[in-house]
């Protein structure tokens, strides 16, 4: 089994995605979507950005490597009566089922960054975008002090060293790597722009309950706990993450959670 696919099918990312819906909708509103725009949402999960884009009138294809998330996205589109939003399984580093120049906008919020082979990912995103179209990526930033970068940093210190040749997904959060990858795909640096943006995780329970959802349903955190358990360090990991989630909660109450997380927003003019 492809380990990249296994990682994301392992838990149930829909349980985390539920806390990201408001930010997904806000992000989509900032994309200037017009009726009939052909949009590819790459690494779409269960449609946090694909569905609002379709609600604004775009013709949306969501592609994700995890079959359970493709099914969940399809169910959500059906229940909303959206006939202009379809989901299919696919790998961001090899989109052979999609034709050249077939999208006006390719969006990937914390999706394509998790595919191995980042140079192939950049090449594929550029190939399927029509000349004059756009690519927008949201990528977590290595070393950033906010939630997701810190979860991944803490988790990695409890996990075995990655295999030889592994390229960290977090490298997509540094401008030099992004420029290098798109340059290799034929896009010059001046066509790429960067900004810092925020996604807020909103959860109707205490920060420790949101952590519990990550521990139970988020593949990367599940793997970190498995590795920590094997070394008798699961309690340390739990404590470290519990401190993080509680410190990051922007709401003074312990009944609800609202945690802002910073990401690198990448816009590429193709
Ligand atoms: C952190 S989730 C983000 C999902 C969604 N974009 C959102 O904002 O809720 C990462 C997503 O990337 C998908 N993914 C990981 N590797 C992928 C690959 N090689 N090709 C396509 N999707 C991939 C995962 O299955 C998962 O749905």
């Amino acid at each position: 089994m492809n380990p990249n696919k296994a990682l994301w099918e392992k838990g149930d990312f829909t349980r985390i995605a539920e806390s990201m819906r408001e930010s997904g909708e806000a992000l989509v509103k900032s994309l200037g979507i017009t009726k009939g725009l052909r949009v590819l949402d790459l690494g779409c999960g269960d449609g946090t950005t694909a569905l609002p884009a379709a609600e604004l009138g775009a013709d949306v294809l969501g592609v994700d490597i995890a079959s359970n998330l493709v099914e969940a996205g399809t169910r959500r589109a059906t229940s909303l009566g959206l006939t202009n939003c379809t989901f299919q399984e696919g790998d961001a580093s090899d989109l052979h089922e999609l034709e050249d120049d077939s999208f006006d906008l390719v969006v990937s919020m914390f999706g394509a960054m998790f595919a191995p082979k980042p140079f192939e990912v950049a090449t594929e995103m550029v190939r399927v975008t029509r000349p004059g179209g756009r690519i927008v990526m949201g990528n977590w930033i290595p070393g950033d002090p906010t939630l997701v970068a810190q979860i991944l940093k803490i988790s990695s210190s409890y996990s075995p060293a990655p295999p030889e040749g592994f390229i960290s997904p977090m490298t997509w959060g540094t401008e030099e790597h992004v420029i290098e990858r798109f340059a290799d795909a034929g896009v010059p640096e001046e066509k790429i722009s960067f900004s810092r943006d925020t996604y807020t995780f909103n959860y109707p329970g205490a920060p420790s309950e949101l952590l519990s959802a990550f521990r139970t349903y988020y593949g990367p955190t599940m793997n970190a706990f498995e590795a920590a358990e094997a070394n008798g360090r699961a309690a340390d990991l739990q404590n470290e993450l519990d401190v993080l989630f509680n410190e990051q909660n922007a709401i003074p109450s312990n009944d609800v959670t609202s945690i802002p997380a910073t990401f690198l927003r990448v816009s590429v003019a193709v």
Side-chain angles (χ1 to χ4, degrees):
M1 169 69 134
N2 172 347
N4 175 219
K5 182 174 167 66
L7 173 69
W8 291 98
E9 288 182 349
K10 185 172 182 133
D12 179 3
F13 184 73
T14 67
R15 305 296 287 260
I16 307 301
E18 281 161 12
S19 66
M20 302 164 76
R21 302 291 190 222
E22 287 153 41
S23 288
E25 282 168 25
L27 184 281
V28 167
K29 279 191 190 138
S30 75
L31 293 175
I33 289 190
T34 47
K35 192 163 165 36
L37 198 80
R38 294 166 303 164
V39 175
L40 170 64
D41 189 341
L42 200 49
C44 58
D46 66 349
T48 293
T49 41
L51 295 178
E55 285 176 319
L56 289 176
D59 288 325
V60 184
L61 174 65
V63 167
D64 200 282
I65 201 162
S67 58
N68 55 331
L69 299 176
V70 168
E71 283 164 22
T74 303
R75 276 196 304 273
R76 294 183 68 226
T78 304
S79 73
L80 289 169
L82 289 169
T83 52
N84 55 333
C85 187
T86 54
F87 292 83
Q88 71 186 45
E89 224 177 290
D91 186 334
S93 55
D94 177 8
L95 296 169
H96 61 270
E97 67 280 13
L98 305 182
E99 287 180 15
D100 296 0
D101 307 337
S102 44
F103 296 95
D104 302 301
L105 170 66
V106 174
V107 60
S108 188
M109 297 309 295
F110 327 115
M113 68 173 287
F114 287 103
K117 305 191 198 155
F119 284 90
E120 280 88 335
V121 170
T123 299
E124 285 295 75
M125 287 196 289
V126 172
R127 180 183 68 75
V128 301
T129 307
R130 71 160 169 86
R134 283 178 295 150
I135 300 168
V136 174
M137 294 182 87
N139 301 330
W140 301 120
I141 302 166
D144 186 82
T146 60
L147 185 75
V148 184
Q150 289 300 311
I151 295 175
L152 297 173
K153 182 176 167 217
I154 292 169
S155 298
S156 70
S157 68
Y158 287 82
S159 306
E164 179 90 15
F166 175 82
I167 301 172
S168 166
M170 300 299 283
T171 53
W172 272 110
T174 61
E175 298 184 13
E176 313 78 72
H177 282 109
V178 173
I179 290 166
E180 186 190 16
R181 290 162 189 175
F182 281 110
D184 188 69
V187 179
E189 182 173 347
E190 58 272 19
K191 296 212 162 182
I192 308 173
S193 60
F194 298 98
S195 59
R196 304 266 157 155
D197 207 337
T198 303
Y199 247 53
T200 300
F201 291 78
N202 289 318
Y203 188 77
S208 303
E209 291 171 61
L210 178 58
L211 166 57
S212 182
F214 271 79
R215 183 172 178 167
T216 313
Y217 299 115
Y218 183 63
T221 308
M222 294 165 75
N223 276 356
F225 270 101
E226 274 173 28
E229 261 152 32
N231 296 319
R233 298 175 68 211
D236 293 342
L237 176 56
Q238 172 70 30
N239 290 341
E240 228 180 302
L241 289 175
D242 199 50
V243 169
L244 173 73
F245 276 70
N246 279 283
E247 277 179 357
Q248 299 269 336
N249 190 16
I251 291 193
S253 143
N254 201 31
D255 300 332
V256 284
T257 302
S258 180
I259 302 183
T262 307
F263 65 93
L264 181 68
R265 181 168 170 154
V266 179
S267 300
V268 180
V270 175

